[in-house]
Amino acid sequence: MPELPEVETICRGVRPHLLGKKFCHFWHSGKQLRHTVPTVVIKQQILGQNVSKVTRRAKYLLVHFDNGALLAFHFGMTGNLGIFSPKYQRATHCHLVFTLDDNQELRYTDTRRFGAVECIGKDEAPFLEKIFFAKTGPEPFSEEFNATYLFNTAKNKKLAIKPFLMDNRVVAGIGNIYANEALFSSGISPHHQVSALSKKQWHTLITEIRKVLDKAINCGGSTISDYVNAAQQPGYFQMHFNVYGRRGEPCPCCGVALKKTEIRGRASYFCPKCQR
Ligand SMILES: [Zn+2]
């Protein structure tokens, strides 16, 4: 499943191919994605418009147009976007094709069709954060995501740190893998009560979350060319994980066997010695 680093990688991959380009034509396979594809709105709002920005918010990739409208892609389980020459045959599970004025095609493929595309019209776009992202917390790389914010958000809550970190209302886009990895590098047990964490611990955790995400983005960055040109298949990269998926293996720091437990139904891997 694409997490924040994968979406960021796709975003960085397609951005240079889209900036300043005009969207000239739109094709839809007719298949339903997670929601109905807003074909009419897409044609009204973005055809004939130039791309002004390509950004990411949480796990959404946003294509902004000169008239203020935007397209929001969510990749679900198996979604992917890529830039292709029209000569290159469309994949079986290609569901959306946007033809650009340089004749290249932005194609959305999705085998399981849990992804979605939304078109936010120019009238709604200024209220994007208030409507579309009303329940989404700050970005992990933003200034708002700081120790004071986390300390205050957590202080009266009875909750383990791991599900807290995975709550999209607290911080955007941290999934299971990166929550496990960031807690390990911070030396904090996934069971630790959020209200008992000090500001210093929150500070460490923020630093480690950013490091883990950066590492994953950089790892994906080296495979960007594959995203854009090749296989038309979800090519989500596998990076090396310290604890995720490693039950019973020796901790990379102390050598003690790593443990696995379930916290709120999600697999949690940790070192019983290094994480307190
Ligand atoms: Zn250890």
Side-chain angles (χ1 to χ4, degrees):
M1 184 182 296
E3 292 210 30
L4 185 151
E6 285 85 352
V7 180
E8 181 64 32
T9 299
I10 299 171
C11 186
R12 292 181 187 187
V14 299
R15 182 185 286 135
H17 301 270
L18 294 181
L19 281 178
K21 301 285 160 54
K22 187 182 284 180
F23 275 42
C24 297
H25 185 261
F26 170 57
W27 173 87
H28 172 217
S29 65
K31 292 268 169 63
Q32 169 115 359
L33 298 177
R34 192 198 308 174
H35 310 301
T36 304
V37 176
T39 312
V40 176
V41 184
I42 287 175
K43 286 183 177 167
Q44 281 170 352
Q45 293 278 341
I46 67 152
L47 289 190
Q49 298 297 323
N50 288 75
V51 176
S52 58
K53 272 192 302 186
V54 181
T55 59
R56 179 193 56 73
R57 174 76 171 105
K59 294 206 283 182
Y60 283 87
L61 185 145
L62 306 171
V63 182
H64 307 248
F65 293 86
D66 277 345
N67 66 345
L70 55 95
L71 281 177
F73 292 93
H74 192 281
F75 299 100
M77 307 275 290
T78 54
N80 207 346
L81 270 181
I83 306 286
F84 297 92
S85 154
K87 285 182 270 181
Y88 204 102
Q89 198 186 355
R90 285 177 193 172
T92 316
H93 299 286
C94 175
H95 294 296
L96 307 171
V97 177
F98 301 87
T99 308
L100 312 174
D101 57 353
D102 62 358
N103 231 354
Q104 297 291 299
E105 295 180 346
L106 174 70
R107 298 182 186 173
Y108 177 81
T109 55
D110 194 345
T111 313
R112 298 184 66 180
R113 292 192 276 123
F114 287 124
V117 61
E118 318 278 351
C119 183
I120 292 125
K122 53 181 186 283
D123 299 331
E124 293 167 277
F127 309 103
L128 189 68
E129 281 294 322
K130 286 204 174 99
I131 304 167
F132 207 71
F133 294 115
K135 289 184 179 158
T136 306
E139 287 291 316
F141 292 103
S142 70
E143 277 178 32
E144 301 154 80
F145 185 63
N146 57 51
T148 306
Y149 161 74
L150 286 171
F151 183 82
N152 289 337
T153 309
K155 68 182 171 197
N156 296 318
K157 291 206 165 68
K158 276 200 163 173
L159 186 66
I161 178 65
K162 185 156 169 283
F164 180 79
L165 278 187
M166 290 175 62
D167 184 342
N168 208 43
R169 292 167 299 186
V170 172
V171 54
I174 298 186
N176 197 30
I177 293 175
Y178 300 106
N180 275 300
E181 292 292 311
L183 285 167
F184 172 74
S185 348
S186 308
I188 299 169
S189 160
H191 295 101
H192 203 109
Q193 284 293 307
V194 284
S195 56
L197 284 164
S198 66
K199 271 200 187 170
K200 191 168 171 246
Q201 284 176 303
W202 284 120
H203 192 76
T204 305
L205 191 51
I206 290 167
T207 308
E208 294 306 322
I209 286 169
R210 289 177 178 160
K211 271 195 212 162
V212 165
L213 292 175
D214 250 338
K215 192 174 143 199
I217 292 166
N218 291 332
C219 171
S222 61
T223 63
I224 274 180
S225 58
D226 295 338
Y227 271 94
V228 179
N229 302 321
Q232 301 199 38
Q233 288 160 6
Y236 304 119
F237 45 89
Q238 282 295 312
M239 61 179 253
H240 168 81
F241 298 123
N242 282 318
V243 291
Y244 185 79
R246 295 181 173 269
R247 174 172 52 180
E249 291 182 34
C251 165
C253 290
C254 73
V256 162
L258 296 173
K259 287 199 165 175
K260 180 190 177 188
T261 182
E262 283 213 349
I263 303 175
R264 299 219 164 175
R266 301 304 302 271
S268 306
Y269 299 88
F270 63 101
C271 171
K273 195 173 164 200
C274 296
Q275 292 175 258
R276 298 283 164 175

